[in-house]
Amino acid sequence: MKTLFHVSLFLLASAVVGATGAIPHLQRQGTATQLIVDGQPFIIHGGELGNSSGEPAYLHSFWPKLKALHLNAVVAPVYWDQIEPAEGTFNFATVDGLLADARANNMRLVLLWFGSWKNSMSCYTPAWVKADTARFPRARSSSGRGLEILSPFDAVNEQTDARAFATLMEHLKAVDGDQHTVVMVQVENEIGMIPEARDHSPEAEKAFAASVPSELMSYLAAHSDTLQPALRQRWFNAGHKSAGTWTEVFGPGPATEEIFMAWYFARYTDAVAKAGKAAYPLPMYVNAALIRPGHQPGQYPSAGPLPQVFDVWRAGAPTIDLFAPDIYFQDFIGWARRYTEGGNGLFIPEAMRSPEAAANALYAIGGLNSMGFSAFGIESIGEPAAGLLAKSYDLLTQLTPLIVQHQGRGTMFGLMSEGPEQRQPQQIEVNGYVVHVAFETSTGPSLADGVPAGAGAAPRFPSGGILIATGPNQFVLAGVGITAVFSARSAAQAGILSTEEGHYSDGQWIHERWLNGDETNQGRFIRIPPGHFGIQRVTLYTYR
């Protein structure tokens, strides 16, 4: 096997991410999963590159923009067809270029393995794989038509992908094992079966007619009481059998076909991840394209790590550290919450780069203990979304020491409206207080401007933030377009003893001004106005 390392590119990096210590890994703190890099929790304020933007020559001119966005990590693809253009011959020029540029810009990398599958299809497999369908068989439709999808039922497909991925990880260990520029790796990309719910190739037909593997049945039995409701219901509705064919155990229909495919996608992915971790055990995750309302298996990329088959993936791919959602739907909170179920560590590698991303990032990290947030196509983000996201990431950078201290402790809360149907303020109970949070997305001119409040069209902004209880009567409120009213759970009343606006620098609070007058409506509430990303420290007291 011939490997071209192109290590000379690294000599071009004048400013690098310095790193020592243990390999990046995950650890639990309370209910949170933290990404540990060089001994410290690391929260990704990221941007994922467009699918074809991961080549250094193309990306070169975008690095100043990425820095201006206050990114600390770039989520970047690695293309199988580029690193192994001929079987057994590897060229890591693109990978090495990404590493050099990330180090020069003091950023980390999350690498995406575009291997067997990318958005369900096998479009990034090398030409020598694509052209040899006898050796590398495809999935087939029910009519027998070949699909642009490698079959997960073929051992040669699996072994060839695993070998390539292991070689990539070996290379990363050789050139980055001490510096830890790469902190996490995604295995495959948006795995799924489409436009039908399952593969109908000869090997798939044989597997579907066979018994459900004993490993999956043993997992179901051992976790019977905690299985995801949809999976548990199908199993129990079909008679709660301990053995049988896929249809006998889960009943007929597309949902069973999705369970079937999830198992074999998971087993294949686990083999690839296991080979990679044997070479260099970075944290590894699998991402999922989500389901549009009303769509059935086969109408979306079915059988990826979606909530209804989480348990199948846990049983089939124990090497994978977490499942990650790619959220492009309006129900950001609902989907993000589902990916915390069962103790899954939350990381959002892809999300809309709209203005709402600025608030979504705050909520995911502050409210759901996410180890990171990343907007998609980050090099293409425009205004006003770019400016808003930059301010949000700047806020998160300032708050990081506080955030990592409070993750998983029950003392930190995300603030964001659940949607247009939410009429009442969000309500949070902590340390004997009830906090009522309302959200503003626009504001009219002030009376001091000589124009009646509300006159004229006002720009709209995202609204959301983070609340951290830092002591019995002390809180940090950060975000944009939020108003917090505090009340006591006891018979006493809550009052605002003091409010100060400021910022954090290297974990130290820098006071800017006191806000005990008009800005708090003479002590009635705490407000961060729309369009303004701010941090306020609040001390309360009670009186009768």
Side-chain angles (χ1 to χ4, degrees), residues 471-492:
N473 301 298
Q474 295 178 323
F475 297 86
V476 168
L477 183 72
V480 57
I482 48 180
T483 299
V485 177
F486 294 85
S487 61
R489 293 189 64 189
S490 65

Side-chain angles (χ1 to χ4, degrees), residues 131-203:
D132 192 348
T133 56
R135 185 178 170 208
F136 304 104
R138 308 290 185 86
R140 293 190 173 273
S141 70
S142 56
S143 65
R145 181 174 58 89
L147 303 172
E148 191 74 14
I149 302 172
L150 285 183
S151 174
F153 297 89
D154 185 79
V156 175
N157 288 346
E158 176 188 294
Q159 292 163 5
T160 307
D161 187 336
R163 183 198 66 198
F165 184 64
T167 305
L168 168 65
M169 298 306 295
E170 288 172 0
H171 179 70
L172 290 178
K173 181 180 180 180
V175 300
D176 194 48
D178 292 329
Q179 291 181 277
H180 308 150
T181 312
V182 180
V183 297
M184 196 155 52
V185 178
Q186 177 183 291
V187 187
E188 313 298 345
N189 186 84
E190 292 187 352
I191 295 168
M193 195 66 201
I194 200 169
E196 298 181 24
R198 73 174 178 90
D199 183 359
H200 290 271
S201 65
E203 286 300 316

Side-chain angles (χ1 to χ4, degrees), residues 36-394:
I36 306 300
V37 180
D38 299 330
Q40 300 295 324
F42 182 75
I43 298 176
I44 293 169
H45 312 148
E48 180 170 328
L49 301 176
N51 297 328
S52 300
S53 301
E55 296 192 50
Y58 176 82
L59 189 60
H60 180 74
S61 65
F62 290 102
W63 283 101
K65 179 179 182 177
L66 303 183
K67 289 187 70 174
L69 288 166
H70 293 284
L71 269 62
N72 64 8
V74 172
V75 182
V78 174
Y79 314 110
W80 185 6
D81 59 350
Q82 295 299 309
I83 71 165
E84 193 179 7
E87 186 170 6
T89 299
F90 290 83
N91 185 330
F92 290 105
T94 56
V95 175
D96 290 351
L98 284 171
L99 284 166
D101 287 343
R103 291 174 183 176
N105 288 279
N106 199 35
M107 291 193 203
R108 307 285 181 172
L109 290 172
V110 175
L111 294 183
L112 315 178
W113 174 236
F114 283 11
S116 290
W117 302 292
K118 195 273 172 196
N119 294 76
S120 301
M121 301 295 131
S122 298
C123 47
Y124 283 99
T125 55
W128 51 271
V129 172
K130 289 180 181 178
D132 192 348
T133 56
R135 185 178 170 208
F136 304 104
R138 308 290 185 86
R140 293 190 173 273
S141 70
S142 56
S143 65
R145 181 174 58 89
L147 303 172
E148 191 74 14
I149 302 172
L150 285 183
S151 174
F153 297 89
D154 185 79
V156 175
N157 288 346
E158 176 188 294
Q159 292 163 5
T160 307
D161 187 336
R163 183 198 66 198
F165 184 64
T167 305
L168 168 65
M169 298 306 295
E170 288 172 0
H171 179 70
L172 290 178
K173 181 180 180 180
V175 300
D176 194 48
D178 292 329
Q179 291 181 277
H180 308 150
T181 312
V182 180
V183 297
M184 196 155 52
V185 178
Q186 177 183 291
V187 187
E188 313 298 345
N189 186 84
E190 292 187 352
I191 295 168
M193 195 66 201
I194 200 169
E196 298 181 24
R198 73 174 178 90
D199 183 359
H200 290 271
S201 65
E203 286 300 316
E205 291 293 310
K206 181 180 177 182
F208 191 68
S211 296
V212 177
S214 59
E215 301 97 322
L216 178 55
M217 295 308 309
S218 296
Y219 181 96
L220 295 177
H223 299 83
S224 177
D225 294 336
T226 59
L227 295 174
Q228 289 291 317
L231 179 65
R232 189 175 190 273
Q233 184 176 355
R234 287 199 68 81
W235 182 31
F236 275 68
N237 286 350
H240 193 202
K241 298 179 181 68
S242 59
T245 66
W246 292 90
T247 302
E248 289 169 345
V249 172
F250 298 109
T256 291
E257 294 181 321
E258 180 173 44
I259 295 168
F260 165 72
M261 288 301 299
W263 173 257
Y264 284 98
F265 276 134
R267 294 306 296 146
Y268 186 117
T269 306
D270 194 67
V272 174
K274 188 177 292 184
K277 281 203 173 187
Y280 185 34
L282 287 175
M284 295 182 185
Y285 71 94
V286 183
N287 67 328
L290 304 181
I291 309 167
R292 294 185 182 278
H295 283 42
Q296 299 301 309
Q299 296 178 317
Y300 58 86
S302 309
L306 291 156
Q308 68 270 21
V309 289
F310 272 176
D311 289 296
V312 180
W313 272 85
R314 288 187 178 114
T319 307
I320 296 298
D321 295 295
L322 58 103
F323 311 135
D326 295 345
I327 307 179
Y328 293 97
F329 301 146
Q330 293 301 316
D331 184 17
F332 177 85
I333 294 176
W335 276 112
R337 278 187 187 143
R338 294 189 74 180
Y339 275 79
T340 65
E341 293 174 2
N344 184 59
L346 182 62
F347 171 54
I348 299 171
E350 292 187 36
M352 290 189 294
R353 60 176 182 263
S354 63
E356 289 73 25
N360 291 342
L362 294 171
Y363 184 86
I365 292 169
L368 298 176
N369 298 311
S370 179
M371 63 187 76
F373 176 92
S374 175
F376 178 73
I378 194 66
E379 75 283 3
S380 301
I381 193 171
E383 296 297 345
L388 294 167
L389 186 62
K391 292 176 182 177
S392 180
Y393 279 173
D394 179 49

